Amino acid sequence: MAVKSPSNGPSGAESATASLDAATQANATAQANGAAAQAASVSPLYRPGLEGVPATQSAICDIDGLRGLLTYRGYPLEQLAAHSSFLETAYLLIWGELPTIFQLRDFEQEVQMHRRVSFRIRDMMKCFPAGGHPMDALQASAASLGLFYSRRALDDPQYVFDAVVRLIAKIPTMVAAFQLIRKGQDPIQPRDDLAYSANFLYMLTEREPDPIAARIFDRCLILHAEHSLNASTFSARVTASTLTDPYAVVASAVGTLAGPLHGGANEDVLEMLEEIGTVEAVEPWLDQAIKARKKIMGFGHREYKVKDPRAVILQKLAEDLFLRFGHDAMYDVAQRLEEVAADRLGPKGIYPNVDFYSGLVYRKLGIPRDLFTPIFAIARTAGWLAHWREQLGANRIYRPTQIYTGSGERSWLPLESRPAVV
Ligand code: COA
């Protein structure tokens, strides 16, 4: 089908036919566009961001946003944070039940044995630009695991167990390795005598951590291990549904977590607290920010309309850390901000979320800011893998539909016939 040509295009009968076709075409396009626009505006099915649309069934994690409750496999987060370890919680999330003493010992030993990464991966990481973001380095390194463990036997329980162990074991090693490599140093090997979190802090800082600091860090990992179907977990499930390998599943989730609307608000919280500066400055700062319709970092959540239960625990962890290792004046600013914001934002259901106190905790542990999101990824790998297994258990490839809002059908034009763009 021809369409109306610009002045330098075909002429005569050919051009007349083209004009007629063009009119029909324009009409069709207008109709199509109108129909699409109407469909988009009236369809009760279309929910931008899939807000409120159930996209899977899951037995892994439950959130009660009105009462501020979060459970993993039915266990309240507070109990897990108080009594469990990150590896035990990861086992619970991924296999659905708390491990027996033998299962836990076996899992811990397997993870410990697989912490090292191939020298080829370390060499590859040495070629990454030192100024690159650690999340990009992590995504590339996680994806590279698929090259080394390329067998894809998703229905073999041993393959699934080995893949889980490798990812849980190696992701922290890769985060720590990039931290040293970008400083121009060789990564250091994991230490077999150190537990999971203590070993990570050791690989990062080259110093054996204080046991209390290591335990607090382990509890932070528990708090970040899972949070139902958020963007990165949805990404993991979509990738899993194609039956690709678990390394691609985790790499795609890492890429999704890297975006500023998902991971990373805790970095912004620290910047905000530093900008406020003092306790006295909090109230005028907040009033000004609200007047300017600025989002207060570390506040608000799509699911919670009360204080995020993870923020409650993180605040206590921050206090424990400050008692042991010295106070942080920014904590006073944060507390005052929470207090003042309760009056102004509380009535709208806007309270501190998980990111409000976590940055203060990580800062006290001596962790650089741009590693906050990679640490989130270390923890969330447990949740992603739980969703990977669950997806495989009742798989149907994700293939949603769309409401087309583009042009109606039209014909390709040779270059010389296209109207000049002004
Ligand atoms: N500070 C001030 N106002 C906020 C706010 C915040 N942190 N979070 C939400 N609001 C307000 C919005 O301005 C909006 O007000 P309006 O109805 O008068 O326009 C209303 O609450 C709804 O906000 P919306 O962004 O649509 O809510 P959401 O559920 O889509 O957003 C977040 C959830 C987390 C994206 C949002 O609260 C936010 O951006 N928070 C700051 C960033 C952050 O801490 N992210 C980490 C999340 S764990």
Side-chain angles (χ1 to χ4, degrees), residues 265 293 295-302 348 350 353 355:
R293 300 189 64 80
K295 285 262 177 91
I296 315 303
M297 287 296 126
F299 278 79
H301 198 279
R302 181 70 63 78
K348 289 175 83 176
I350 299 166
N353 60 45
D355 288 317

Side-chain angles (χ1 to χ4, degrees), residues 33-305:
N33 285 345
Q38 202 185 5
S41 62
V42 300
S43 172
L45 294 176
Y46 175 53
R47 307 289 289 269
L50 295 182
E51 183 175 355
V53 177
T56 190
Q57 292 187 315
S58 179
I60 299 170
C61 161
D62 192 29
I63 300 170
D64 182 337
L66 293 179
R67 292 194 297 153
L69 299 178
L70 173 57
T71 54
Y72 295 169
R73 301 283 189 186
Y75 294 98
L77 187 66
E78 292 75 10
Q79 291 182 19
L80 294 169
H83 307 297
S84 185
S85 66
F86 172 67
L87 282 187
E88 183 186 70
T89 299
Y91 188 103
L92 167 72
L93 287 167
I94 297 166
W95 279 286
E97 293 297 338
L98 284 170
T100 63
I101 191 165
F102 300 110
Q103 288 167 328
L104 181 60
R105 198 181 302 154
D106 183 42
F107 187 50
E108 285 172 345
Q109 276 172 3
E110 289 291 326
V111 168
Q112 188 218 70
M113 277 165 49
H114 287 87
R115 285 169 180 169
R116 284 170 176 71
V117 294
S118 158
F119 75 89
R120 290 193 170 85
I121 293 182
R122 295 200 301 274
D123 286 354
M124 174 189 79
M125 294 178 87
K126 287 177 187 166
C127 298
F128 292 169
H133 196 284
M135 279 300 273
D136 295 328
L138 179 60
Q139 188 186 18
S141 320
S144 79
L145 290 173
L147 291 162
F148 294 88
Y149 310 103
S150 55
R151 198 169 75 94
R152 192 182 297 153
L154 300 178
D155 46 8
D156 174 355
Q158 190 60 48
Y159 170 87
V160 171
F161 182 80
D162 291 346
V164 164
V165 163
R166 279 194 196 105
L167 279 158
I168 298 271
K170 293 182 197 302
I171 294 273
T173 308
M174 296 190 298
V175 171
F178 185 66
Q179 169 63 8
L180 293 196
I181 288 169
R182 68 178 173 165
K183 289 198 293 183
Q185 295 164 232
D186 268 325
I188 55 176
Q189 292 294 340
R191 260 188 40 196
D192 288 347
D193 60 317
L194 293 178
Y196 189 82
S197 287
N199 175 62
F200 171 69
L201 293 174
Y202 162 73
M203 290 190 298
L204 200 63
T205 61
E206 300 173 90
R207 259 182 254 115
E208 192 174 327
D210 178 279
I212 293 182
R215 173 64 186 142
I216 287 178
F217 183 78
D218 201 63
R219 296 172 79 188
C220 289
L221 294 186
I222 294 173
L223 298 179
H224 287 86
E226 163 62 6
H227 209 234
S228 81
L229 203 62
N230 57 20
S232 60
T233 300
F234 185 48
S235 203
R237 287 193 83 121
V238 170
T239 310
S241 79
T242 69
L243 302 185
T244 186
D245 68 64
Y247 310 105
V249 169
V250 168
S252 74
V254 170
T256 309
L257 182 65
L261 291 186
H262 193 354
N266 47 11
E267 284 184 58
D268 299 334
V269 170
L270 285 188
E271 266 161 41
M272 176 185 74
L273 296 176
E274 281 162 3
E275 183 195 317
I276 299 171
T278 62
V279 170
E280 296 69 39
V282 168
E283 200 164 352
W285 182 92
L286 182 64
D287 285 336
Q288 181 56 35
I290 291 175
K291 210 166 134 203
R293 300 189 64 80
K294 264 177 52 181
K295 285 262 177 91
I296 315 303
M297 287 296 126
F299 278 79
H301 198 279
R302 181 70 63 78
E303 299 282 332
Y304 297 112
K305 299 304 158 210

Side-chain angles (χ1 to χ4, degrees), residues 1-6 10 13-31 33 407-413 417 419:
M1 193 195 302
V3 292
K4 187 176 179 192
S5 309
E14 196 186 344
S15 176
T17 317
S19 300
L20 197 64
D21 278 359
T24 316
Q25 178 72 35
N27 202 14
T29 304
Q31 274 180 15
N33 285 345
S407 168
E409 189 182 331
R410 47 187 171 165
S411 295
W412 179 87
L413 280 179
S417 309

